[in-house]
Amino acid sequence: MAQFQRPTLCCCRKVLTVPSKSCEGGQGLGQCRLVDIASASNFHCFKLRHFHLDLRLNFAVKEITGWQVLELVALQPGVQTLVLDTHPSLLIHSIDCKVPGSTGAQDISPSLTYRVDPFTDYGSSLNISLPAYVIRPHRAFQITVRYTTTDGPAIWWLDAELTCGQTRPLVFTQGHSVCNRSFFPCFDTPAVKSTYTATVRVPEGVTVLMSASRSAYSKQDRVFQFSMEYPVPAYLVALVAGDLQHVDIGPRSRVWAEPCILTCAVSKLGGSVERWLNVAEDLFGPYVWGRYDIVFLPPSFPIVAMENPCLTFIISSILESREFLLIDVIHEIAHGWFGNAVTNATWEEMWLSEGLATYAQRRITTEAYGEAFTCLETVFRLDALHRQMRLLGDNNPVSKLQVKFEPGINPSSLMNLFTYEKGFCFVSYLSQLCGNVKRFDSFLRAYIEQFKFSSVVAQDLLDFFLGFFPELKESCVAQREGLEFERWLNGCGPPLCEPDLSAGGVLTGPVQSLCDLWASEPPDPEAIANFNLSSWNTFQTVLFLDRLLDRSPLSHDVMGQLSRCYSAQLDEMNAEVRIRWLQIVVRNSFYPDLPRIRGFLHKHTSRMYTVPLYEDLCSGVMKCFAAEVFYQTQARLHPNLRRTLQQILFQTSALPTPTGSVPSLQHPTASSPSPTPRDQLGPADPPTTGTIALRDVNVSA
């Protein structure tokens, strides 16, 4: 999905390595480098016990105003400054301090001195001077920050025209990885967890949801109350507000969506969610979050899905594909154990969340749908991993499981296939060492129980693994030649080994046979006619198209045959299938199917479908066509996506001006305003280099 960005050096960059083991609430971490937070310099001096948000949403001016109360305990004497992460889009009005339960005047400081310093291009440092007479070791105190925030990277305001129903505006937040510092001042690191409550005031007719375990609503006051009774890191605090309705789909689950898509969403999920939760609980132990609700968001949602506790956010565009919807929801369910209950303490080890969640997802699908289906989906993803590996090269540091961030690197840039699939392969290898997948299930249950509601580093996982299986520790599996744990974590390149996927042969075999027929010279139309794509599931079809894409460029004759065989048939399939055929069309400059590309881009306005096609169009000979379609559709694109596409269109020569009146587009030069920073374009921003434009995977957070 994203490459490392070029480091941007900052005047106050801090890199902190905190010795010790797993942490609860941020105290005591393994050997991890906290390079992504301004608060790294002193967050270990405090324990964040709880925080409360009191917010008012103003859709007319696209502002959130209110205050935040942080309940803290000083852990060390002599601490004079509290440092929080914030963002230039968040305006601080005032900060005060008090000691709960105290009546003395000296225990209340009505206004504290503070300053906001630059930190990186994705955040700022809020330095609050603390009164010495209030801050005493192990005594609780409260900091109240009054602020206004607008359109920072965490907050996405959608005009009515950009929603599914196109009748009322909507706003949602997306905190992963380091965006929520623009939503509220915080220790914006997964190493710090706390409970929270929130009060949200909205105009009439607006429904508010948050990633909270309990909620209440006062219709008279138009006030929503939320409470998250389990500790979570800042990035998992999420909010959505708009014209939302719900239908219960199980004893602990409901689907939320705009009215126009609610029926479709419910019909696609049916009673499956409770079934998946039950399978997951059988494998990994109790689901600790109580509720598991899902809200479907408009196509402007910048990623596919996000595992916000109690309330998964998922893009409505995925409703077209049942199989992709199934995988995405199960992946987010798996995060209830891996990522949410037990969290990576640093973004440099994001695989502890994504690799384990991917392994858990595949254990669930194996139990629910059989080994063949799981192997097919895994083959599809590993194909994409190797495709990305070929493009990046074997020595690219992004392929490490333990990535060392350089100063200025946005942790969101780590959201790539290695985090998921190389991490999955390492977890699968650990499972193979046990000799029995059920034994490894038992280990994972014990791991969750041991580290629940805390944040961990890789050494915590591996030490617990070797302690759980002492016979493996005695046989020195961690140092097995060629498969050393250290090499898994810090070596560049593809996975050191991959799981046996031969059980998927019944589904992947026909795909490869058809690919081989199309690779023959010339293709045999009678043999090809024996394969009926309409009888395949989506993962078989996209695997076939991806492998055709790998063989590009194809001859014009072969493209003509492919179009005659499949174009009309693929038109009736879901967007996951169609985008791959259209990428084949673009990569091979097959002009007869250009109208299909135009129709697709007019219909689909989500980042997950538009960006890959525009990158392909602009890296080849179809840039003028891309510019024409962009001018026709830009009014229906979210401003952040519009800026991303402008960057893609402008990355080479200047745009031609189509016939007719069109809005002015400025090329970003030293004398013109630069585009919004990449971190403000969403955590799933793809790179704008044509060579990396492969739509490698439909990634959930």
Side-chain angles (χ1 to χ4, degrees):
M1 285 195 33
Q3 293 175 283
F4 270 164
Q5 301 170 14
R6 182 174 291 109
T8 303
L9 297 177
C10 305
C11 62
C12 65
R13 194 65 175 167
K14 293 182 175 67
V15 178
L16 179 69
T17 301
V18 185
S20 149
K21 287 275 182 162
S22 66
C23 64
E24 295 183 27
Q27 283 68 54
L29 288 174
Q31 291 287 345
C32 60
R33 299 163 66 253
L34 302 176
V35 302
D36 51 355
I37 56 171
S39 52
S41 60
N42 80 342
F43 85 88
H44 59 291
C45 300
F46 301 94
K47 179 177 178 61
L48 175 63
R49 300 202 318 193
H50 181 84
F51 69 89
H52 176 75
L53 297 171
D54 193 300
L55 307 173
R56 183 179 299 275
L57 307 188
N58 188 328
F59 285 87
V61 295
K62 298 181 179 178
E63 280 186 353
I64 299 177
T65 59
W67 63 87
Q68 174 193 32
V69 181
L70 299 99
E71 296 183 11
L72 297 152
V73 175
L75 300 178
Q76 301 177 11
V79 180
Q80 298 180 338
T81 304
L82 171 67
V83 183
L84 298 173
D85 296 291
T86 185
H87 191 272
S89 63
L90 190 151
L91 175 64
I92 306 292
H93 300 304
S94 67
I95 302 176
D96 58 56
C97 175
K98 66 179 291 188
V99 177
S102 298
T103 56
Q106 74 173 126
D107 286 330
I108 300 176
S109 180
S111 182
L112 298 183
T113 302
Y114 66 91
R115 73 176 191 275
V116 178
D117 293 333
F119 177 60
T120 68
D121 61 356
Y122 59 84
S124 304
S125 169
L126 174 59
N127 300 268
I128 305 169
S129 298
L130 301 175
Y133 53 80
V134 171
I135 308 307
R136 300 174 187 168
H138 310 295
R139 183 172 79 162
F141 65 98
Q142 294 180 345
I143 296 290
T144 300
V145 183
R146 300 180 185 277
Y147 69 95
T148 298
T149 188
T150 52
D151 58 350
I155 303 171
W156 294 64
W157 296 93
L158 306 188
D159 295 330
E161 296 77 15
L162 296 180
T163 65
C164 297
Q166 300 186 354
T167 56
R168 293 183 178 179
L170 182 143
V171 64
F172 64 82
T173 66
Q174 167 58 17
H176 197 289
S177 303
V178 289
C179 294
N180 264 357
R181 61 190 69 188
S182 68
F183 182 16
F184 52 90
C186 57
F187 297 116
D188 201 359
T189 167
V192 175
K193 293 185 173 185
S194 75
T195 57
Y196 81 89
T197 51
T199 299
V200 185
R201 309 165 201 279
V202 292
E204 186 174 358
V206 174
T207 297
V208 183
L209 308 174
M210 289 192 75
S211 54
S213 51
R214 297 181 182 180
S215 63
Y217 172 57
S218 170
K219 185 174 182 180
Q220 179 179 354
D221 300 323
R222 299 197 300 276
V223 172
F224 289 81
Q225 303 276 358
F226 300 95
S227 173
M228 171 51 84
E229 56 194 306
Y230 310 106
V232 296
Y235 79 92
L236 289 178
V237 178
L239 175 149
V240 58
D243 183 14
L244 300 169
Q245 297 180 7
H246 76 271
V247 170
D248 289 337
I249 58 170
R252 49 184 162 175
S253 300
R254 59 182 43 162
V255 167
W256 290 89
E258 293 178 68
C260 61
I261 62 169
L262 182 59
T263 300
C264 174
V266 171
S267 67
K268 290 294 179 74
L269 288 173
S272 299
V273 171
E274 183 62 23
R275 177 191 177 197
W276 299 333
L277 285 167
N278 287 332
V279 172
E281 287 186 312
D282 289 342
L283 292 170
F284 312 121
Y287 178 73
V288 299
W289 302 98
R291 299 290 306 175
Y292 182 79
D293 297 340
I294 302 171
V295 57
F296 285 90
L297 297 177
S300 294
F301 188 55
I303 57 176
V304 179
M306 180 63 203
E307 67 273 14
N308 302 309
C310 306
L311 183 67
T312 286
F313 284 18
I314 192 164
I315 194 168
S316 56
S317 309
I318 207 67
L319 286 168
E320 284 195 28
S321 169
R322 178 183 174 276
E323 288 92 344
F324 276 85
L325 174 64
L326 176 155
I327 291 297
D328 290 325
V329 173
I330 292 177
H331 183 86
E332 306 314 315
I333 285 175
H335 272 305
W337 288 262
F338 306 99
N340 293 2
V342 182
T343 309
N344 46 283
T346 165
W347 292 122
E348 294 185 328
E349 294 186 326
M350 202 183 301
W351 74 273
L352 285 169
S353 171
E354 296 301 348
L356 280 160
T358 301
Y359 178 88
Q361 160 213 309
R362 288 172 181 156
R363 285 292 293 122
I364 297 169
T365 58
T366 297
E367 295 296 316
Y369 298 101
E371 192 174 5
F373 174 79
T374 298
C375 288
L376 167 65
E377 184 265 336
T378 307
V379 167
F380 162 68
R381 305 289 190 185
L382 289 179
D383 260 23
L385 178 71
H386 290 292
R387 186 176 305 119
Q388 194 170 83
M389 194 75 256
R390 291 194 298 271
L391 293 169
L392 294 174
D394 287 344
N395 295 318
N396 196 301
V398 77
S399 62
K400 293 182 179 181
L401 291 183
Q402 284 186 332
V403 178
K404 299 297 185 287
F405 288 136
E406 295 298 326
I409 292 293
N410 189 327
S412 297
S413 64
L414 190 59
M415 293 296 294
N416 60 63
L417 282 169
F418 301 98
T419 301
Y420 293 78
E421 298 304 333
K422 189 173 181 179
F424 159 76
C425 288
F426 184 33
V427 178
S428 297
Y429 172 64
L430 296 178
S431 175
Q432 292 169 22
L433 290 175
C434 300
N436 184 309
V437 70
K438 296 294 185 183
R439 291 186 72 204
F440 195 67
D441 292 342
S442 298
F443 159 72
L444 291 176
R445 282 195 296 272
Y447 167 75
I448 293 295
E449 187 60 33
Q450 175 72 18
F451 296 106
K452 182 170 55 181
F453 301 132
S454 65
S455 300
V456 300
V457 295
Q459 199 59 49
D460 295 322
L461 170 69
L462 297 177
D463 286 349
F464 190 72
F465 173 77
L466 294 174
F468 196 85
F469 299 108
E471 71 280 8
L472 295 179
K473 183 176 183 179
E474 291 173 7
S475 63
C476 299
V477 295
Q479 289 82 39
R480 187 170 290 179
E481 187 175 359
L483 294 167
E484 299 90 347
F485 288 0
E486 176 67 19
R487 187 174 174 188
W488 271 104
L489 295 176
N490 289 305
C492 296
L496 301 182
C497 67
E498 296 179 4
D500 178 13
L501 302 175
S502 58
V506 65
L507 297 175
T508 59
V511 173
Q512 187 56 47
S513 296
L514 184 56
C515 286
D516 292 340
L517 286 172
W518 280 105
S520 60
E521 292 287 348
D524 183 349
E526 290 186 6
I528 288 171
N530 291 326
F531 292 84
N532 181 11
L533 264 59
S534 62
S535 67
W536 286 2
N537 69 40
T538 294
F539 280 112
Q540 287 178 292
T541 307
V542 296
L543 181 63
F544 166 64
L545 294 174
D546 276 351
R547 289 183 174 180
L548 281 182
L549 195 61
D550 288 341
R551 296 173 185 264
S552 295
L554 303 169
S555 71
H556 188 77
D557 289 343
V558 168
M559 282 300 301
Q561 286 181 269
L562 283 167
S563 181
R564 289 190 294 273
C565 285
Y566 302 130
S567 269
Q569 190 176 356
L570 296 176
D571 282 344
E572 304 302 317
M573 296 187 183
N574 61 66
E576 293 293 333
V577 171
R578 293 203 306 278
I579 188 175
R580 286 169 167 81
W581 168 244
L582 297 179
Q583 284 188 286
I584 293 172
V585 168
V586 174
R587 300 276 180 90
N588 291 278
S589 303
F590 189 68
Y591 290 97
D593 271 13
L594 274 186
R596 288 185 162 90
I597 299 173
R598 185 190 303 275
F600 186 89
L601 289 174
H602 273 261
K603 177 181 179 181
H604 293 281
T605 57
S606 66
R607 179 178 301 269
M608 59 192 280
Y609 296 134
T610 54
V611 169
L613 275 177
Y614 274 98
E615 286 183 326
D616 278 353
L617 287 165
C618 291
S619 63
V621 296
M622 298 184 179
K623 190 166 187 175
C624 292
F625 172 80
E628 179 185 340
V629 174
F630 173 77
Y631 286 128
Q632 294 168 351
T633 60
Q634 63 174 327
R636 296 169 46 236
L637 304 175
H638 188 277
N640 290 351
L641 176 58
R642 199 180 307 147
R643 284 190 286 267
T644 299
L645 298 182
Q646 287 172 345
Q647 288 177 331
I648 294 171
L649 288 163
F650 283 131
Q651 67 184 355
T652 54
S653 58
L655 274 176
T657 302
T659 304
S661 175
V662 297
S664 171
L665 291 175
Q666 289 182 304
H667 192 292
T669 65
S671 59
S672 65
S674 61
T676 301
R678 297 285 291 169
D679 64 283
Q680 295 192 25
L681 303 179
D685 254 340
T688 54
T689 7
T691 56
I692 270 306
L694 286 178
R695 189 171 188 284
D696 289 321
V697 69
N698 179 344
V699 175
S700 306

